[in-house]
Structures are given as structure tokens and as C-alpha cells.
Amino acid sequence: MKNLKITSQSPILNLEKDEISIVVIVGKSMTLFNKRNQAFFFYTYGNEECPSKIYLRHVVDGKSNVFGTGGFNFSFCGKTYELENPGDSVNIEDGSIAVCLKYSYMLELLESSFYVYGQAKVYDFMKEEFLIPLS
């Protein structure tokens, strides 16, 4: 979220719009949770020790599919899977998947799958900016 610039008197912003929960910890992270389709987006700001990361957990037919950027570990039923590079993926025993994606592919996936048809957008993933006032 390269263009994400939020100035606020409060270090934590918490609001809801059209069944999407928005939580921003200024300078640390941003979370969007779409209650209509159980899509959970999480972004952490990077620093010199750790690059920024994006995660998307999307439940489809009861399966929790996880997508991330920048390499990540995924645990399920006591097993931990390391996904270090774009293209790394794991098919989980319950039919779920975990996939490491390139940053640009992640933005495209978010833009096409985070919202339900007809739902008002609160964030443009391709432009990396909020479409609503944060107050």
C-alpha cells in the first residue's frame, strides 16, 4: 500500500462501512474484513528489518484460502508450511490452499475478489487508496 498516507490525531482508526470492518493502526498496519464473503485483508508497514507484507484470507465453500506476499509461514493442524517465493503454494488436507504471490498479482486478486457484487468499495486496491473518508 505504497500510497497509504493517513494522518490522524488518534493512533487507531476503527470504523465500519457496508459490512466491511476497517481497522488502521497508523504507521503499523491496516485490516479490512468483509463480513459478506468472509474476506480478510491484512497489510503491515515495512521497516529496515522486515519488508511490508499483504495477506488475504478468503473463505470459499468452508475452505480458508490464504494468500500472501513477501514470503510467509502458514500453519494448519500442527504442520507449518514455508512459502518463501512468489509461486510457492501448498494444498492443505482440508482442500484449502496457501499461496505466495507477487505484489502486483496480489493487488489484482484483491481488487477482483474482496468485494461482493453490488457492494460499495471502501478501498481501491489497484490505486492503493481509500475511497471513503477515514474519520
Side-chain angles (χ1 to χ4, degrees):
M1 312 296 79
K2 298 170 184 165
N3 300 325
L4 185 60
K5 294 178 178 70
I6 298 171
T7 56
S8 173
Q9 301 293 3
S10 173
I12 299 175
L13 303 170
N14 189 354
L15 60 140
E16 186 168 323
K17 173 82 173 170
D18 201 19
E19 294 188 69
I20 298 174
S21 296
I22 303 163
V23 178
V24 177
I25 301 174
V26 178
K28 302 279 186 195
S29 65
M30 176 176 71
T31 302
L32 303 176
F33 176 62
N34 191 338
K35 295 176 184 178
R36 288 191 191 177
N37 69 351
Q38 298 296 297
F40 175 83
F41 162 78
F42 182 72
Y43 169 77
T44 60
Y45 289 80
N47 58 39
E48 55 277 343
E49 297 172 11
C50 183
S52 62
K53 299 200 182 225
I54 301 173
Y55 300 98
L56 168 66
R57 182 180 70 71
H58 195 219
V59 178
V60 178
D61 296 331
K63 310 295 187 236
S64 184
N65 300 309
V66 177
F67 304 89
T69 62
F72 65 99
N73 292 334
F74 175 76
S75 295
F76 180 81
C77 291
K79 288 185 180 178
T80 299
Y81 305 93
E82 292 183 30
L83 300 143
E84 297 180 8
N85 301 301
D88 289 353
S89 65
V90 175
N91 293 320
I92 311 301
E93 292 83 9
D94 73 342
S96 302
I97 60 170
V99 182
C100 184
L101 296 173
K102 284 177 49 176
Y103 188 86
S104 60
Y105 293 167
M106 177 64 92
L107 296 180
E108 290 177 21
L109 176 64
L110 285 160
E111 190 66 27
S112 66
S113 67
F114 187 79
Y115 299 103
V116 174
Y117 178 77
Q119 187 176 31
K121 292 184 176 185
V122 298
Y123 190 82
D124 184 317
F125 292 101
M126 297 307 289
K127 292 182 181 177
E128 299 178 302
E129 63 188 18
F130 277 96
L131 303 173
I132 62 169
L134 294 177
S135 55

